[in-house]
Amino acid sequence: MGHGGEHDVEQPLAGGRLTAGVARVGDTVRRPASPASRFVARLLTHLAKTGFDGCPQHLGWDQHGRHILSFVPGHVPPRWQHFTDDQVGQAATLLRQLHDATRELASSLRGEVVCHHDPGPNNTVFRNGQPVAFIDFDFAAPGHPLEDVGYMAWAWCISSRPDRGPATEQARQVRNLADAYGLSPADRGRLPAAIRQRLRRNEAFWRDILDDQVASVPHARSAEVLAWTQRELAYTEANQETFIAALRPA
């Protein structure tokens, strides 16, 4: 099959909390244009040239002005959950490969890498139980690797829910993530603070959405996500010494 003819049936794609109107057409995905679309196109074009295949391909724009991306087959988890050490390690390895593939582009933009800025499992495609690609690059921007590693450590390893295991086990898995990514000793020491910083940024982000009453996000939903983020931040801060200890050199 080709890249999806204009007469192929559109199938709405669920998952994104903020981007409405995303649809699959044939073997492509159509995303409504946003202020981020041009940079995402530039980034994905650069990644394709480097040989990194853990993301969609930029295919142009359709007659409605929507961004055309290749459809990445696989499974996207419907919710955050417990992931195995192997899955966490694979996600961290994939993130390192993404970052390394962006270094040349990022250097021209005064950044160390281009960060995804939302590399949670909800933006990750799995095949055969393993993470193989990131999707939804709307928040991508130049930055420091720890911005993404800190977010990933929270999203994949840490949870205030009692059924997700004790903080000591979560901290051990964060160490596994740091090992798989290949963090330097200095950055390992900075990772606990980076996790807390990303949670504070998320808290501010969702408070702004709640205050601005963004039309695409129901008020009750944004209030729910804000409250959850605040619980996660409080839990992480209460257990910060556990995470710091787990990342110290053996």
Side-chain angles (χ1 to χ4, degrees), residues 47-60:
L47 290 172
K49 288 178 180 176
T50 69
F52 178 77
D53 61 1
C55 62
Q57 292 182 336
H58 163 67
L59 300 175

Side-chain angles (χ1 to χ4, degrees), residues 22-106:
V22 180
R24 180 179 177 183
V25 181
D27 60 355
T28 71
V29 172
R30 312 295 172 98
R31 294 180 66 89
S34 75
S37 296
R38 291 291 171 183
F39 180 71
V40 172
R42 180 183 178 188
L43 172 62
L44 297 182
T45 299
H46 172 82
L47 290 172
K49 288 178 180 176
T50 69
F52 178 77
D53 61 1
C55 62
Q57 292 182 336
H58 163 67
L59 300 175
W61 315 89
D62 70 10
Q63 80 274 29
H64 303 296
R66 296 180 300 182
H67 194 181
I68 308 175
L69 305 164
S70 63
F71 177 77
V72 180
H75 168 71
V76 178
R79 61 184 63 86
W80 292 12
Q81 60 197 49
H82 177 266
F83 293 96
T84 66
D85 286 356
D86 192 39
Q87 289 171 322
V88 170
Q90 290 288 343
T93 299
L94 184 66
L95 183 66
R96 178 59 185 261
Q97 292 169 346
L98 169 66
H99 284 170
D100 286 348
T102 68
R103 289 182 187 276
E104 182 181 351
L105 175 61

Side-chain angles (χ1 to χ4, degrees), residues 12 19-20 25 74 77 83 99 105 112 114 126 137 143 151 167 169 178 181 193 195 198 209 213 225 227 229 232 236:
T19 306
V25 181
F83 293 96
H99 284 170
L105 175 61
E112 186 171 334
V114 176
F126 286 65
F137 284 77
Y151 188 100
E169 174 62 14
Y181 182 89
I195 296 169
R198 284 312 311 240
I209 286 181
Q213 298 185 341
V225 176
T229 304
E232 296 290 283
T236 303

Side-chain angles (χ1 to χ4, degrees), residues 116-201:
H116 183 286
H117 281 304
D118 198 7
N122 54 306
N123 283 323
T124 305
V125 177
F126 286 65
R127 285 199 291 270
N128 299 318
Q130 292 296 337
V132 297
F134 295 117
I135 56 174
D136 193 352
F137 284 77
D138 278 3
F139 292 128
H144 189 279
L146 277 179
E147 296 178 73
D148 269 353
V149 179
Y151 188 100
M152 179 175 275
W154 166 51
W156 290 76
C157 307
I158 300 172
S159 175
S160 61
R161 287 172 50 126
D163 63 351
R164 287 283 298 275
T168 50
E169 174 62 14
Q170 295 176 20
R172 184 197 61 76
Q173 199 165 65
V174 170
R175 185 180 69 229
N176 175 61
L177 183 152
D179 290 344
Y181 182 89
L183 276 185
S184 68
D187 280 348
R188 288 171 72 97
R190 298 185 187 107
L191 180 55
I195 296 169
R196 298 193 301 275
Q197 177 62 24
R198 284 312 311 240
L199 279 161
R200 292 190 192 103
R201 285 172 64 173

